[in-house]
Structure formats: structure tokens, C-alpha cells
Amino acid sequence: MTFDNKVLQGEWEADQPMDNNLKSIDINAADQKELEKIKGIGPTFAKRTIKYRNLLGGYTSKDQFNSIYGITDEALKALSDNVTIDVSAIDKIMINSASKDQIKAHPYLKDWAVVAEIISQRDKKNLNNLDFLVEKDLMSQDELNKVLPYISFE
């Protein structure tokens, strides 16, 4: 599965309460101060948004904002309406050379059985996909699709 390196645009609504001089912000490059410029995003949610972004290696979808600890409906709407996502900025795990701890550090790869199977398969040959995780019922296809943007097979 491949993902195009494109920018996903947020939708602007006429009644969106935000600074009229504020341009849409790239969530994968924004610092805390930039995020705080969005009405409804204070220091706490800005920090949490960046912390989760760093754990992931970057956001690939606005749906991931739902996983930011303690996010309110207002903050979720504010983020979704006022940010873009540049998926070319994603930090990828070099799956054929990463340590087990580097693999397990990703929020979508927390299961030791998944990590152990990746290491086991990679010890046999360089990986060019992770389909075996679905075939062995270690992940669903949806879970695999979520993690694939964070994997490099180089």
C-alpha cells in the first residue's frame, strides 16, 4: 500500500472562530505557539498534540486527533478545521534495521507478539511488506493500514 505525498486540506467554515489573519497550519511542522493561535487550542492541548505527533512520527489523518489525550470536542473541531497535514513529513521506521525497542516505541506497534513476528520474519529475509501480520491474525487489515505510512522497507 502506498500513500501519496500530498497535503490534506482542512475545511474552513464561515462561522469558525479563529484569527482572520491566521493561515492554515501544517500540523506536522507546527510548534506550540503556532497551535495556540488557533482559538480553542491552549497550551495544554498544543503540548498534547505535539507529544502525540512525536510519538506517531507525524499525523497522517485528522482522525488521529481523536487519540490525543483528553481532547475536547471544541479542540478537535478547532484542529480539524484549521490545520493541514503534510504526509511527506512523516518519520518512518526503517523496519529492516530498527531495533525491537524502536519498533515497539510506535503507538501502533505496542504488542510484543507483533514486534517479535516482525523481527522473526526479518531475520529470514528483508521485509517488503507486513501482510504476514494479518495472515497470522496479529493485526487486522485496518490496523495494518494505519501503521503502513510509518514504515519504510528500504
Side-chain angles (χ1 to χ4, degrees):
M1 175 173 217
T2 60
F3 286 80
D4 294 330
N5 288 336
K6 62 183 178 179
V7 177
L8 304 172
Q9 296 292 331
E11 303 223 359
W12 294 90
E13 294 184 18
D15 64 344
Q16 175 61 32
M18 93 177 245
D19 181 348
N20 290 335
N21 296 321
L22 183 63
K23 295 179 182 172
S24 195
I25 296 170
D26 174 12
I27 193 74
N28 285 332
D31 64 19
Q32 182 177 337
K33 294 288 184 205
E34 287 175 293
L35 292 177
E36 288 177 19
K37 291 178 184 175
I38 301 171
K39 187 169 180 152
I41 304 297
T44 300
F45 284 126
K47 285 178 192 172
R48 289 177 184 173
T49 300
I50 291 169
K51 181 178 180 180
Y52 192 59
R53 176 189 70 198
N54 293 341
L55 282 171
L56 286 170
Y59 292 101
T60 61
S61 165
K62 291 180 180 184
D63 291 338
Q64 292 171 304
F65 301 160
N66 288 307
S67 297
I68 298 169
Y69 177 75
I71 194 155
T72 64
D73 290 341
E74 179 184 272
L76 181 61
K77 180 169 177 29
L79 277 178
S80 294
D81 289 348
N82 296 296
V83 300
T84 59
I85 299 175
D86 180 359
V87 296
S88 68
I90 300 299
D91 289 330
K92 296 184 180 263
I93 300 167
M94 305 298 282
I95 203 71
N96 285 305
S97 61
S99 72
K100 65 181 176 195
D101 290 332
Q102 289 170 319
I103 296 169
K104 187 148 176 36
H106 195 279
Y108 298 161
L109 295 170
K110 290 291 187 195
D111 186 337
W112 271 116
V114 168
V115 175
E117 188 61 30
I118 290 170
I119 300 295
S120 173
Q121 293 292 323
R122 155 179 109 182
D123 285 347
K124 297 174 191 170
K125 64 177 180 166
N126 272 353
L127 301 175
N128 59 16
N129 67 63
L130 297 177
D131 295 342
F132 59 88
L133 295 172
V134 175
E135 293 164 7
K136 294 183 177 237
D137 289 323
L138 294 171
M139 275 188 162
S140 70
Q141 187 64 54
D142 286 343
E143 291 168 325
L144 180 59
N145 291 343
K146 266 176 59 173
V147 78
L148 282 176
Y150 300 99
I151 304 298
S152 172
F153 295 99
E154 294 177 16

